[in-house]
Every structure is written in structure tokens, then in C-alpha cells.
């Protein structure tokens, strides 16, 4: 029997894949206000809730990599006869909107997608554990962990490598991260694992003081 490869099947299965992957991205939001803007961030253990801000992770980069993984994996798991496809609970759409049983999968074609998927999880875990931190006088990346109560973030390391606001000559928020030029002309780069608008609002406020 010829394999059926409908556009509907691809779209439905792709959406399920993205939904499952994005559930794995776990973020936690508190808030700090700069003017009327709500900054999504957390206050570290012992920090000042009105000043200290550990920016919440932004899943943009992991999400893009998840999308690439889906594009690589999907063709290898979506080609099989409609009658054997596995339908998700509650799906009442056009026949063919499910996933194929494992015996129809193409391992050689799936492998590259799984590697990309693993890279997405690595990026997501890195972004959750290494956060951009701004206090009253400086900015930098710190390694964090949740406390036993799972309610507050504790800074484990990195606070001694912060860049003082007084030492910042210029900065650029690029599509892929923050580039800071210090007065010594040394450059520091921070990858985009945070909301760029939140950071822009915080920097504008802190550098004016």
C-alpha cells in the first residue's frame, strides 16, 4: 500500500511535537518595574527586591533549535499508511493527522534531528542555570540554583566577575546578545538568553544614575 504523506498530517504532528518540546522549557517569573515596564526577573537570596534582578531565561534560542530539530525529525516519522497512524487523544480532524509507529521510522534520518534536539536541551539548561544579573552597580552572568524551597534563586558563582556600570563606555544589544565595551576598551559579550527589551530598560535606568 502506497504511503500517504498529506499536508494535514505534517502540520498536526509538527504542532504536537513543538508543544511537547516547549513544555520542557521551564521558566519562573517574578517582576521588577522600570517605569511602566514589567521586568521579568527574580531576586537572589539576600538581594534587594527593588534593585537586584536575575533576568528570567528567554527560550528564543532553544525554541529556534527545537524548530530545526522538528524539521529534521518529522519527515522520518510521518510517512506511513494512514490506517496505522497513532492519533492523539481528543483529535477529531482529518484522517492522517497522527504519528507513525516506530517500525516505520527511518533511524538514519532521525539521528541528525536527535542531535539537534539534544543541543536545544543543552542550550535551555544553560540559559536556566546561567543568568544575566544586574544589581545597583554592575552587570554580569552568574550561575544560579534554586533553594530547597524552590522559591528563590541563589547565586553560586560569577558575582566577582561583574562589569561595573561606571566602567561601561558603550553597549550594544544585538540580535544574538549584549556587547559591552569597557573604558579600558575590553569587550564583554553576553549571549541572548534573556528578554532584550527588559535588559534595555534596566540598562537605560542604571546607567543614568
Amino acid at each position: 500500500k502506497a504511503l500517504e504523506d498529506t499536508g494535514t498530517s505534517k502540520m498536526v504532528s509538527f504542532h504536537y511535537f513543538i508543544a511537547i518540546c516547549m513544555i520542557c522549557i521551564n521558566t519562573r517569573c517574578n517582576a521588577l518595574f522600570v517605569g511602566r515596564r514589567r521586568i521579568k526577573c527574580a531576586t537572589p537570596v539576600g538581594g534587594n527586591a527593588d534593585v537586584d534582578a536575575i533576568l528570567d531565561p528567554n527560550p528564543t534560542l532553544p525554541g529556534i533549535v527545537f524548530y530545526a530539530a522538528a524539521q529534521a525529525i518529522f519527515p522520518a516519522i510521518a510517512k506511513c499508511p494512514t490506517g496505522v497512524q497513532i492519533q492523539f487523544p481528543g483529535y477529531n480532524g482529518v484522517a492522517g493527522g497522527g504519528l507513525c509507529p516506530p517500525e516505520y521510522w527511518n533511524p538514519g534520518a532521525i539521528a541528525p534531528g536527535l542531535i539537534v534536539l539534544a543541543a536545544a536541551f543543552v542550550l535551555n539548561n544553560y540559559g536556566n542555570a546561567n543568568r544575566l544579573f544586574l544589581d545597583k552597580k554592575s552587570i554580569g552572568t552568574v550561575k544560579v540554583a534554586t533553594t530547597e524551597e524552590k522559591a528563590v534563586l541563589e547565586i553560586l558563582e560569577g558575582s566577582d566577575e561583574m562589569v561595573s556600570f561606571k566602567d561601561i563606555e558603550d553597549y550594544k544589544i544585538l540580535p544574538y546578545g549584549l556587547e559591552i565595551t569597557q573604558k579600558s576598551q575590553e569587550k564583554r559579550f553576553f549571549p541572548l538568553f534573556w528578554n532584550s527589551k527588559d535588559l534595555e530598560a534596566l540598562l537605560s535606568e542604571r546607567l543614568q544614575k
Side-chain angles (χ1 to χ4, degrees), residues 47-201:
N48 185 338
D50 296 324
V51 178
D52 298 337
I54 298 177
L55 294 185
D56 284 350
N58 187 334
T60 299
L61 286 180
I64 292 173
V65 181
F66 272 132
Y67 179 84
Q71 294 287 65
I73 293 174
F74 182 78
I77 64 174
K79 291 185 178 181
C80 62
T82 303
V84 301
Q85 290 183 358
I86 303 170
Q87 301 293 342
F88 288 89
Y91 177 74
N92 297 313
V94 179
L99 296 178
C100 298
E103 57 265 28
Y104 288 90
W105 294 358
N106 183 341
I110 292 176
L114 292 178
I115 294 173
V116 177
L117 185 61
F121 276 103
V122 169
L123 285 173
N124 183 61
N125 290 336
Y126 177 86
N128 283 331
N130 298 271
R131 307 280 192 91
L132 196 62
F133 174 52
L134 295 88
D135 59 18
K136 187 176 182 179
K137 300 179 179 179
S138 57
I139 180 174
T141 298
V142 294
K143 188 172 183 179
V144 301
T146 55
T147 60
E148 292 182 0
E149 292 78 13
K150 304 294 184 182
V152 185
L153 289 177
E154 179 180 8
I155 295 177
L156 300 180
E157 58 184 64
S159 57
D160 56 341
E161 300 177 2
M162 305 277 284
V163 178
S164 172
F165 292 134
K166 292 182 179 180
D167 292 337
I168 295 179
E169 178 73 23
D170 190 23
Y171 72 89
K172 298 177 182 177
I173 299 180
L174 306 169
Y176 45 85
L178 169 67
E179 181 183 89
I180 289 178
T181 302
Q182 298 177 249
K183 291 181 179 179
S184 63
Q185 297 308 304
E186 179 184 354
K187 293 185 182 291
R188 295 282 298 275
F189 179 75
F190 304 95
L192 184 65
F193 287 104
W194 26 261
N195 185 288
S196 59
K197 295 297 182 182
D198 286 351
L199 176 61
E200 185 176 9

